[in-house]
Amino acid sequence: MLQGLSLTGILPVLPTPFRGDGAVDLPAMERVVDFALACGAKGLVFPGFASEVDDLTADERATLLRTVVARVAGRVPVIAGASAPSAEEAIAHSRDAVAAGVTTVMIQAPKSVGVGAEAVGAFYRTIAEAVPEISIVLQNAPAPRGSDLNAETIHAIVAGNPSITYVKEETLPSGPPISAILKGKPAHLKGVIGGGGARYIIDEYQRGACAAMPAVEITDVHVALDRAFRAGDVAKARELYMRTLPLLVIQANYRMRFTKHVLCRRGIMDNDVVRAKLLTFDDYDVAEIDAWLDLVRDLLTVEGAHV
């Protein structure tokens, strides 16, 4: 299984395409997968926060995940989001992932569990014991959505659970926690993955992050940045980062609506319909986004996906 491989590079979180009537759009989901792979993604994540996961039914989650896995066809790892309000629901999502052929799942402990190492550790152990086939990416998200676990707590949780092989660290700022988690980490923890939509990717990589999980709309540029950094051309990586940062700042406010707008402009999606309660664009927003897209036109390298 490719899921047993090390997770490195750009691992975009895929959005959920919807039809005009609000139903999930499976053919568009396949096009998004094709786009991410053509861009050079080293793995795909679905579902995540950027997939509007809170607005999907359990059946939709499972169907979409199967669609992603079938389209990937073993070419790169798939990381399945299995976060849920309870351990029982997370176990069910994890079993759905295993049934779809995915053995790496990403889970954020619900805030109801608290922030203590004993309680959060017990939450993850319950899942690992119920679904022993999986390896877990512990997602540490910032408040108000996440629990803002500190590095000491994460060390204690991971040390007590060999099924946790990665941490996705996206508290703010993410850099110092990444350094702290990597310092003296348990041997079975393979690495720390950056979050925050790649808005802090250079700092995260400088501190030893092994991968990043941004949204998918400019994966080709993020892949170029990643390759430059790994080749030792940090100056080029910084240039790509600076050129794309204005877009990522806008994306921080409009989230999935922004991602879908850009994917429409690039010919990948047919509409930017969202279910999540998000800010809407006005004409000034669209003009500003499109102006910044025009300024990075030369960086968008995937054939048939253009501004």
Side-chain angles (χ1 to χ4, degrees):
M1 293 288 290
L2 275 174
Q3 278 72 17
L5 297 177
S6 296
L7 301 178
T8 61
I10 302 301
L11 313 170
V13 182
L14 306 182
T16 299
F18 299 110
R19 299 192 316 232
D21 63 4
V24 297
D25 188 339
L26 297 182
M29 186 85 254
E30 293 179 338
R31 293 197 300 273
V32 172
V33 170
D34 292 346
F35 168 73
L37 294 177
C39 287
K42 292 294 187 181
L44 303 181
V45 184
F46 185 88
F49 295 160
S51 313
E52 300 177 74
V53 65
D54 292 340
D55 297 283
L56 298 174
T57 67
D59 285 345
E60 286 173 334
R61 284 176 72 154
T63 299
L64 286 158
L65 179 60
R66 289 195 298 269
T67 299
V68 170
V69 173
R71 196 68 172 184
V72 169
R75 287 172 284 179
V76 299
V78 174
I79 302 96
S83 298
S86 69
E88 291 73 23
E89 291 169 276
I91 288 167
H93 292 317
S94 297
R95 286 175 173 158
D96 284 342
V98 172
V102 178
T103 56
T104 300
V105 299
M106 184 166 67
I107 302 173
Q108 175 190 296
K111 294 184 72 174
S112 60
V113 173
V115 296
E118 183 175 347
V120 180
F123 169 83
Y124 283 105
R125 283 195 303 275
T126 297
I127 297 167
E129 290 168 2
V131 196
E133 306 97 320
I134 61 171
S135 60
I136 297 172
V137 179
L138 185 160
Q139 184 174 14
N140 187 30
R145 175 149 196 158
S147 299
D148 272 326
L149 301 175
N150 62 40
E152 182 180 1
T153 299
I154 289 175
H155 272 164
I157 294 166
V158 173
N161 191 341
S163 293
I164 300 175
T165 54
Y166 288 91
V167 171
K168 183 187 180 187
E169 178 56 59
E170 47 189 339
T171 56
L172 299 173
S174 59
I178 287 174
S179 293
I181 294 167
L182 289 173
K183 184 178 180 181
K185 69 177 180 63
H188 66 270
L189 185 66
K190 296 180 181 180
V192 178
I193 299 167
R199 285 179 285 277
Y200 315 101
I201 189 170
I202 297 294
D203 182 44
E204 291 168 347
Y205 274 19
Q206 293 280 32
R207 292 173 180 271
C210 62
M213 288 185 182
V216 75
E217 65 273 3
I218 54 170
T219 293
D220 38 4
V221 189
H222 285 142
V223 166
L225 185 159
D226 175 87
R227 289 174 176 168
F229 187 94
R230 294 177 190 277
D233 193 348
V234 179
K236 180 179 178 181
R238 289 187 185 279
E239 178 190 357
L240 293 171
Y241 173 72
M242 287 189 292
R243 290 188 62 187
T244 55
L245 189 56
L247 287 167
L248 300 182
V249 170
I250 299 171
Q251 195 263 1
N253 291 324
Y254 293 99
R255 304 298 305 279
M256 295 73 81
R257 192 181 301 280
F258 172 90
T259 294
K260 292 179 178 183
H261 173 80
V262 175
L263 289 175
C264 287
R265 293 281 276 117
R266 301 195 69 182
I268 309 304
M269 289 179 59
D270 300 322
N271 65 63
D272 61 358
V273 173
V274 296
R275 287 183 184 173
K277 293 184 171 78
L278 297 168
L279 295 171
T280 57
F281 296 141
D282 62 20
D283 291 343
Y284 290 98
D285 294 317
V286 172
E288 188 70 6
I289 293 167
D290 290 349
W292 284 110
L293 281 172
D294 286 341
L295 290 174
V296 298
R297 184 191 301 268
D298 60 305
L299 303 178
L300 306 177
T301 58
V302 174
E303 185 177 355
H306 56 275
V307 175

